[in-house]
Amino acid sequence: MKGPLHILRRVWLRLSEHRRRARFARSLRRVSGHDSFDLGPEDVLAIVLVKNGAYYLDQFLSYYRQIGIRHFAFIDNGSTDDTLARLAEEPGVIVDQSDLALAQYEDLLRAHPAQTYGRNRWCLYVDMDEVFDFEGRSDHGIHALTSYMTARGHNALVAQMLEMFPKEPLSAVAEMPFADALEAFRYFDISTVTRQDYHDPAIPFSALLRGNQTATPAIQFYFGGVRGKVFGERCCLTKHPLIFNGPGVTPAPHPHLSMGVTCTDFSAVIKHYKFAGDAAARDRASQRTGALAHGEDAARAAVMARGDVTLFSLDARRWNRVELLVRAGFLVGSADYHAHLESLRG
């Protein structure tokens, strides 16, 4: 039997959550763009949480437009560079802003664009330093994914993050423009990636995954990787970047996942360029503001302070194409999806 203290605690938590959501709603403001998008049934809305993203912006928009994205909903968390001015000049872009602390409000920041502009639509969650890639991308773009998943009743795609890095120490590339970093950061290291079953109760956020389903048990959660190897981080490498935000779906209650989804039977990759630009300076800035709740910035800064740091080692592999990651066992392939791609070519 639950006692009065338990009941009081539940009431207090509900009131606190209500106040948190009300504060977030009051903090929102429209920066640029129209009130809504004219989204067709095959369109995909890109949802982007950004703060001072000017460094990435040209290459980011160019890449995602090339794969078929025409609409972008940015949620800005207090940019002080020229990100907002540049986005205001871009077609197909809406920018809303809340400057509340990311550590306390990230779930609401990420959910807002999906719930405001992307209901009953395909939504692609991407960060500015991420390049989402998949089999069929060069020939068919993102429609290859959505048409396959729609036909099978799947409403989420799992992607594994692949940390990209150069041969040089990170300090040597700190001033490199992002366009050049996309060329220079050609290497990755999956030698220390650890894997857990999708519904493993040992996953720290397993409670959020209980209502989800996977079309194959081969879809797993990955952790660690080269950032664990070099900085001691146990970072999660698995995300649900692409979801259909329909009935029963809760978009982005956690930065890496959505709830109420059925994950399709293959996986994609997110090439992550976290260390492009002056990563050490960004970590020092986030430490000062306390923007990140998990403390990974502090762990990286402690290692960076020791001198030149490189992620490159004899375990590094050179990027070639997505299909080779399937052969290497890092990604899950699907014969049915391959047949679907063949049908699109026909």
Side-chain angles (χ1 to χ4, degrees), residues 118-150:
R119 287 185 181 272
N120 297 311
R121 290 291 183 268
W122 286 103
C123 298
L124 178 68
Y125 275 96
V126 285
D127 291 340
M128 298 291 287
D129 58 0
E130 295 178 347
V131 173
F132 174 65
D133 204 355
F134 49 93
E135 293 185 86
R137 183 261 306 165
S138 58
D139 293 327
H140 309 292
I142 201 160
H143 175 67
L145 303 177
T146 56
S147 57
Y148 177 82
M149 294 163 64
T150 298

mmCIF file of all heavy atoms in Angstrom, residues 118-150:
data_model
loop_
_atom_site.group_PDB
_atom_site.id
_atom_site.type_symbol
_atom_site.label_atom_id
_atom_site.label_comp_id
_atom_site.label_asym_id
_atom_site.label_seq_id
_atom_site.Cartn_x
_atom_site.Cartn_y
_atom_site.Cartn_z
ATOM 1 N N GLY A 118 5.364 18.937 -37.233
ATOM 2 C CA GLY A 118 5.570 17.620 -37.835
ATOM 3 C C GLY A 118 4.612 16.543 -37.387
ATOM 4 O O GLY A 118 4.940 15.352 -37.470
ATOM 5 N N ARG A 119 3.424 16.897 -36.948
ATOM 6 C CA ARG A 119 2.458 15.866 -36.564
ATOM 7 C C ARG A 119 1.985 15.098 -37.793
ATOM 8 O O ARG A 119 1.677 15.689 -38.837
ATOM 9 C CB ARG A 119 1.259 16.482 -35.844
ATOM 10 C CG ARG A 119 1.561 16.952 -34.427
ATOM 11 C CD ARG A 119 0.295 17.431 -33.748
ATOM 12 N NE ARG A 119 0.538 17.911 -32.398
ATOM 13 C CZ ARG A 119 0.530 17.135 -31.320
ATOM 14 N NH1 ARG A 119 0.294 15.837 -31.451
ATOM 15 N NH2 ARG A 119 0.732 17.654 -30.123
ATOM 16 N N ASN A 120 1.944 13.771 -37.649
ATOM 17 C CA ASN A 120 1.530 12.893 -38.743
ATOM 18 C C ASN A 120 2.383 13.100 -40.003
ATOM 19 O O ASN A 120 1.887 13.041 -41.133
ATOM 20 C CB ASN A 120 0.044 13.091 -39.069
ATOM 21 C CG ASN A 120 -0.833 12.707 -37.899
ATOM 22 O OD1 ASN A 120 -0.689 11.646 -37.304
ATOM 23 N ND2 ASN A 120 -1.759 13.606 -37.544
ATOM 24 N N ARG A 121 3.662 13.333 -39.757
ATOM 25 C CA ARG A 121 4.627 13.519 -40.832
ATOM 26 C C ARG A 121 5.931 12.809 -40.472
ATOM 27 O O ARG A 121 6.224 12.558 -39.296
ATOM 28 C CB ARG A 121 4.916 15.011 -41.060
ATOM 29 C CG ARG A 121 3.773 15.795 -41.666
ATOM 30 C CD ARG A 121 3.519 15.384 -43.108
ATOM 31 N NE ARG A 121 2.469 16.179 -43.754
ATOM 32 C CZ ARG A 121 1.187 15.866 -43.784
ATOM 33 N NH1 ARG A 121 0.776 14.764 -43.158
ATOM 34 N NH2 ARG A 121 0.317 16.617 -44.417
ATOM 35 N N TRP A 122 6.727 12.502 -41.494
ATOM 36 C CA TRP A 122 8.069 11.991 -41.263
ATOM 37 C C TRP A 122 8.952 13.123 -40.759
ATOM 38 O O TRP A 122 8.953 14.222 -41.326
ATOM 39 C CB TRP A 122 8.649 11.419 -42.554
ATOM 40 C CG TRP A 122 8.051 10.100 -42.939
ATOM 41 C CD1 TRP A 122 7.124 9.871 -43.903
ATOM 42 C CD2 TRP A 122 8.356 8.832 -42.356
ATOM 43 N NE1 TRP A 122 6.802 8.532 -43.954
ATOM 44 C CE2 TRP A 122 7.558 7.862 -43.021
ATOM 45 C CE3 TRP A 122 9.223 8.403 -41.346
ATOM 46 C CZ2 TRP A 122 7.595 6.504 -42.704
ATOM 47 C CZ3 TRP A 122 9.263 7.052 -41.032
ATOM 48 C CH2 TRP A 122 8.470 6.124 -41.701
ATOM 49 N N CYS A 123 9.701 12.834 -39.701
ATOM 50 C CA CYS A 123 10.598 13.810 -39.094
ATOM 51 C C CYS A 123 12.008 13.213 -39.002
ATOM 52 O O CYS A 123 12.166 12.064 -38.569
ATOM 53 C CB CYS A 123 10.139 14.198 -37.688
ATOM 54 S SG CYS A 123 8.509 14.991 -37.631
ATOM 55 N N LEU A 124 12.993 13.991 -39.400
ATOM 56 C CA LEU A 124 14.385 13.565 -39.321
ATOM 57 C C LEU A 124 15.101 14.443 -38.312
ATOM 58 O O LEU A 124 15.290 15.639 -38.535
ATOM 59 C CB LEU A 124 15.072 13.677 -40.685
ATOM 60 C CG LEU A 124 16.551 13.291 -40.707
ATOM 61 C CD1 LEU A 124 16.728 11.791 -40.472
ATOM 62 C CD2 LEU A 124 17.198 13.706 -42.027
ATOM 63 N N TYR A 125 15.495 13.830 -37.184
ATOM 64 C CA TYR A 125 16.254 14.547 -36.163
ATOM 65 C C TYR A 125 17.740 14.502 -36.516
ATOM 66 O O TYR A 125 18.336 13.430 -36.592
ATOM 67 C CB TYR A 125 16.045 13.895 -34.796
ATOM 68 C CG TYR A 125 14.801 14.370 -34.082
ATOM 69 C CD1 TYR A 125 13.613 13.650 -34.146
ATOM 70 C CD2 TYR A 125 14.823 15.543 -33.335
ATOM 71 C CE1 TYR A 125 12.479 14.089 -33.486
ATOM 72 C CE2 TYR A 125 13.694 15.988 -32.671
ATOM 73 C CZ TYR A 125 12.527 15.260 -32.745
ATOM 74 O OH TYR A 125 11.411 15.701 -32.092
ATOM 75 N N VAL A 126 18.346 15.663 -36.744
ATOM 76 C CA VAL A 126 19.774 15.731 -37.027
ATOM 77 C C VAL A 126 20.367 16.940 -36.311
ATOM 78 O O VAL A 126 19.717 17.977 -36.168
ATOM 79 C CB VAL A 126 20.072 15.825 -38.535
ATOM 80 C CG1 VAL A 126 19.876 14.485 -39.208
ATOM 81 C CG2 VAL A 126 19.224 16.890 -39.227
ATOM 82 N N ASP A 127 21.605 16.787 -35.865
ATOM 83 C CA ASP A 127 22.358 17.903 -35.301
ATOM 84 C C ASP A 127 23.263 18.481 -36.378
ATOM 85 O O ASP A 127 23.547 17.838 -37.400
ATOM 86 C CB ASP A 127 23.180 17.447 -34.096
ATOM 87 C CG ASP A 127 22.307 17.085 -32.906
ATOM 88 O OD1 ASP A 127 21.133 17.528 -32.862
ATOM 89 O OD2 ASP A 127 22.785 16.358 -32.017
ATOM 90 N N MET A 128 23.756 19.680 -36.151
ATOM 91 C CA MET A 128 24.530 20.379 -37.165
ATOM 92 C C MET A 128 25.825 19.665 -37.531
ATOM 93 O O MET A 128 26.342 19.830 -38.639
ATOM 94 C CB MET A 128 24.846 21.798 -36.686
ATOM 95 C CG MET A 128 23.625 22.662 -36.438
ATOM 96 S SD MET A 128 22.747 23.098 -37.947
ATOM 97 C CE MET A 128 23.856 24.289 -38.661
ATOM 98 N N ASP A 129 26.362 18.894 -36.607
ATOM 99 C CA ASP A 129 27.635 18.208 -36.873
ATOM 100 C C ASP A 129 27.438 16.757 -37.305
ATOM 101 O O ASP A 129 28.357 15.953 -37.234
ATOM 102 C CB ASP A 129 28.556 18.266 -35.653
ATOM 103 C CG ASP A 129 27.932 17.648 -34.404
ATOM 104 O OD1 ASP A 129 26.784 17.160 -34.461
ATOM 105 O OD2 ASP A 129 28.602 17.657 -33.342
ATOM 106 N N GLU A 130 26.238 16.425 -37.787
ATOM 107 C CA GLU A 130 25.913 15.055 -38.171
ATOM 108 C C GLU A 130 25.589 14.952 -39.665
ATOM 109 O O GLU A 130 24.841 15.777 -40.202
ATOM 110 C CB GLU A 130 24.712 14.544 -37.371
ATOM 111 C CG GLU A 130 24.979 14.423 -35.876
ATOM 112 C CD GLU A 130 23.778 13.956 -35.088
ATOM 113 O OE1 GLU A 130 22.642 13.955 -35.636
ATOM 114 O OE2 GLU A 130 23.961 13.590 -33.917
ATOM 115 N N VAL A 131 26.134 13.909 -40.299
ATOM 116 C CA VAL A 131 25.814 13.587 -41.692
ATOM 117 C C VAL A 131 25.137 12.217 -41.692
ATOM 118 O O VAL A 131 25.769 11.187 -41.456
ATOM 119 C CB VAL A 131 27.081 13.575 -42.570
ATOM 120 C CG1 VAL A 131 26.745 13.080 -43.968
ATOM 121 C CG2 VAL A 131 27.702 14.964 -42.626
ATOM 122 N N PHE A 132 23.849 12.217 -41.911
ATOM 123 C CA PHE A 132 23.033 11.001 -41.920
ATOM 124 C C PHE A 132 23.184 10.313 -43.272
ATOM 125 O O PHE A 132 22.932 10.919 -44.321
ATOM 126 C CB PHE A 132 21.582 11.401 -41.650
ATOM 127 C CG PHE A 132 20.576 10.301 -41.764
ATOM 128 C CD1 PHE A 132 20.595 9.229 -40.886
ATOM 129 C CD2 PHE A 132 19.588 10.357 -42.732
ATOM 130 C CE1 PHE A 132 19.643 8.221 -40.987
ATOM 131 C CE2 PHE A 132 18.631 9.364 -42.839
ATOM 132 C CZ PHE A 132 18.669 8.292 -41.964
ATOM 133 N N ASP A 133 23.596 9.042 -43.271
ATOM 134 C CA ASP A 133 23.859 8.346 -44.531
ATOM 135 C C ASP A 133 23.255 6.945 -44.482
ATOM 136 O O ASP A 133 23.130 6.349 -43.402
ATOM 137 C CB ASP A 133 25.365 8.270 -44.776
ATOM 138 C CG ASP A 133 25.711 8.112 -46.253
ATOM 139 O OD1 ASP A 133 24.792 7.961 -47.081
ATOM 140 O OD2 ASP A 133 26.917 8.131 -46.580
ATOM 141 N N PHE A 134 22.934 6.398 -45.649
ATOM 142 C CA PHE A 134 22.213 5.126 -45.706
ATOM 143 C C PHE A 134 22.346 4.533 -47.105
ATOM 144 O O PHE A 134 22.630 5.244 -48.086
ATOM 145 C CB PHE A 134 20.733 5.336 -45.368
ATOM 146 C CG PHE A 134 20.089 6.475 -46.138
ATOM 147 C CD1 PHE A 134 19.435 6.234 -47.342
ATOM 148 C CD2 PHE A 134 20.156 7.773 -45.666
ATOM 149 C CE1 PHE A 134 18.847 7.264 -48.056
ATOM 150 C CE2 PHE A 134 19.582 8.825 -46.379
ATOM 151 C CZ PHE A 134 18.928 8.569 -47.573
ATOM 152 N N GLU A 135 22.135 3.240 -47.192
ATOM 153 C CA GLU A 135 22.139 2.578 -48.499
ATOM 154 C C GLU A 135 20.996 3.124 -49.364
ATOM 155 O O GLU A 135 19.877 3.270 -48.893
ATOM 156 C CB GLU A 135 21.988 1.074 -48.315
ATOM 157 C CG GLU A 135 23.174 0.399 -47.635
ATOM 158 C CD GLU A 135 23.019 -1.109 -47.583
ATOM 159 O OE1 GLU A 135 23.398 -1.785 -48.566
ATOM 160 O OE2 GLU A 135 22.497 -1.605 -46.567
ATOM 161 N N GLY A 136 21.289 3.426 -50.597
ATOM 162 C CA GLY A 136 20.298 3.999 -51.500
ATOM 163 C C GLY A 136 20.258 5.504 -51.508
ATOM 164 O O GLY A 136 19.521 6.107 -52.295
ATOM 165 N N ARG A 137 21.067 6.134 -50.676
ATOM 166 C CA ARG A 137 21.017 7.591 -50.563
ATOM 167 C C ARG A 137 21.379 8.300 -51.864
ATOM 168 O O ARG A 137 20.696 9.212 -52.297
ATOM 169 C CB ARG A 137 21.947 8.040 -49.436
ATOM 170 C CG ARG A 137 21.938 9.555 -49.159
ATOM 171 C CD ARG A 137 23.101 10.285 -49.793
ATOM 172 N NE ARG A 137 24.355 9.703 -49.412
ATOM 173 C CZ ARG A 137 25.506 9.959 -50.037
ATOM 174 N NH1 ARG A 137 25.525 10.766 -51.088
ATOM 175 N NH2 ARG A 137 26.632 9.392 -49.640
ATOM 176 N N SER A 138 22.447 7.864 -52.536
ATOM 177 C CA SER A 138 22.916 8.585 -53.715
ATOM 178 C C SER A 138 21.955 8.455 -54.894
ATOM 179 O O SER A 138 21.858 9.353 -55.728
ATOM 180 C CB SER A 138 24.309 8.098 -54.120
ATOM 181 O OG SER A 138 24.289 6.700 -54.387
ATOM 182 N N ASP A 139 21.227 7.355 -54.977
ATOM 183 C CA ASP A 139 20.316 7.138 -56.108
ATOM 184 C C ASP A 139 18.899 7.653 -55.858
ATOM 185 O O ASP A 139 18.254 8.176 -56.772
ATOM 186 C CB ASP A 139 20.231 5.642 -56.445
ATOM 187 C CG ASP A 139 21.536 5.095 -56.989
ATOM 188 O OD1 ASP A 139 22.249 5.848 -57.665
ATOM 189 O OD2 ASP A 139 21.835 3.920 -56.722
ATOM 190 N N HIS A 140 18.419 7.508 -54.633
ATOM 191 C CA HIS A 140 16.999 7.756 -54.381
ATOM 192 C C HIS A 140 16.725 8.748 -53.257
ATOM 193 O O HIS A 140 15.569 9.135 -53.062
ATOM 194 C CB HIS A 140 16.297 6.429 -54.057
ATOM 195 C CG HIS A 140 16.567 5.357 -55.057
ATOM 196 N ND1 HIS A 140 16.105 5.394 -56.348
ATOM 197 C CD2 HIS A 140 17.292 4.206 -54.954
ATOM 198 C CE1 HIS A 140 16.509 4.324 -57.003
ATOM 199 N NE2 HIS A 140 17.237 3.583 -56.189
ATOM 200 N N GLY A 141 17.745 9.141 -52.510
ATOM 201 C CA GLY A 141 17.517 10.073 -51.427
ATOM 202 C C GLY A 141 16.686 9.471 -50.315
ATOM 203 O O GLY A 141 16.498 8.247 -50.224
ATOM 204 N N ILE A 142 16.156 10.336 -49.494
ATOM 205 C CA ILE A 142 15.481 9.867 -48.281
ATOM 206 C C ILE A 142 14.157 9.156 -48.588
ATOM 207 O O ILE A 142 13.652 8.383 -47.757
ATOM 208 C CB ILE A 142 15.280 11.046 -47.310
ATOM 209 C CG1 ILE A 142 15.084 10.518 -45.879
ATOM 210 C CG2 ILE A 142 14.130 11.948 -47.759
ATOM 211 C CD1 ILE A 142 15.353 11.544 -44.811
ATOM 212 N N HIS A 143 13.629 9.354 -49.787
ATOM 213 C CA HIS A 143 12.394 8.648 -50.165
ATOM 214 C C HIS A 143 12.606 7.142 -50.183
ATOM 215 O O HIS A 143 11.646 6.377 -49.980
ATOM 216 C CB HIS A 143 11.905 9.137 -51.528
ATOM 217 C CG HIS A 143 10.720 8.390 -52.048
ATOM 218 N ND1 HIS A 143 9.486 8.453 -51.441
ATOM 219 C CD2 HIS A 143 10.581 7.541 -53.109
ATOM 220 C CE1 HIS A 143 8.637 7.683 -52.104
ATOM 221 N NE2 HIS A 143 9.274 7.119 -53.121
ATOM 222 N N ALA A 144 13.829 6.689 -50.409
ATOM 223 C CA ALA A 144 14.100 5.249 -50.367
ATOM 224 C C ALA A 144 13.742 4.674 -49.009
ATOM 225 O O ALA A 144 13.244 3.544 -48.906
ATOM 226 C CB ALA A 144 15.577 4.979 -50.679
ATOM 227 N N LEU A 145 13.992 5.444 -47.964
ATOM 228 C CA LEU A 145 13.705 4.989 -46.599
ATOM 229 C C LEU A 145 12.216 5.066 -46.289
ATOM 230 O O LEU A 145 11.615 4.094 -45.829
ATOM 231 C CB LEU A 145 14.485 5.827 -45.586
ATOM 232 C CG LEU A 145 15.995 5.868 -45.736
ATOM 233 C CD1 LEU A 145 16.601 6.810 -44.689
ATOM 234 C CD2 LEU A 145 16.590 4.477 -45.586
ATOM 235 N N THR A 146 11.627 6.227 -46.529
ATOM 236 C CA THR A 146 10.241 6.433 -46.097
ATOM 237 C C THR A 146 9.263 5.557 -46.873
ATOM 238 O O THR A 146 8.277 5.078 -46.311
ATOM 239 C CB THR A 146 9.850 7.910 -46.222
ATOM 240 O OG1 THR A 146 10.073 8.347 -47.575
ATOM 241 C CG2 THR A 146 10.697 8.765 -45.282
ATOM 242 N N SER A 147 9.519 5.335 -48.163
ATOM 243 C CA SER A 147 8.608 4.494 -48.936
ATOM 244 C C SER A 147 8.668 3.047 -48.465
ATOM 245 O O SER A 147 7.637 2.357 -48.382
ATOM 246 C CB SER A 147 8.936 4.581 -50.429
ATOM 247 O OG SER A 147 10.288 4.219 -50.687
ATOM 248 N N TYR A 148 9.875 2.579 -48.131
ATOM 249 C CA TYR A 148 10.026 1.213 -47.624
ATOM 250 C C TYR A 148 9.347 1.055 -46.270
ATOM 251 O O TYR A 148 8.592 0.094 -46.043
ATOM 252 C CB TYR A 148 11.516 0.888 -47.497
ATOM 253 C CG TYR A 148 11.807 -0.486 -46.911
ATOM 254 C CD1 TYR A 148 11.763 -1.620 -47.707
ATOM 255 C CD2 TYR A 148 12.131 -0.640 -45.558
ATOM 256 C CE1 TYR A 148 12.031 -2.889 -47.179
ATOM 257 C CE2 TYR A 148 12.404 -1.897 -45.020
ATOM 258 C CZ TYR A 148 12.348 -3.009 -45.839
ATOM 259 O OH TYR A 148 12.614 -4.260 -45.304
ATOM 260 N N MET A 149 9.603 1.995 -45.362
ATOM 261 C CA MET A 149 9.057 1.881 -44.009
ATOM 262 C C MET A 149 7.542 2.035 -43.992
ATOM 263 O O MET A 149 6.840 1.336 -43.258
ATOM 264 C CB MET A 149 9.738 2.907 -43.108
ATOM 265 C CG MET A 149 11.233 2.627 -42.916
ATOM 266 S SD MET A 149 12.164 4.045 -42.275
ATOM 267 C CE MET A 149 11.404 4.222 -40.652
ATOM 268 N N THR A 150 7.030 2.925 -44.823
ATOM 269 C CA THR A 150 5.581 3.102 -44.899
ATOM 270 C C THR A 150 4.896 1.814 -45.351
ATOM 271 O O THR A 150 3.873 1.395 -44.789
ATOM 272 C CB THR A 150 5.240 4.254 -45.860
ATOM 273 O OG1 THR A 150 5.792 5.475 -45.362
ATOM 274 C CG2 THR A 150 3.734 4.408 -46.005
#
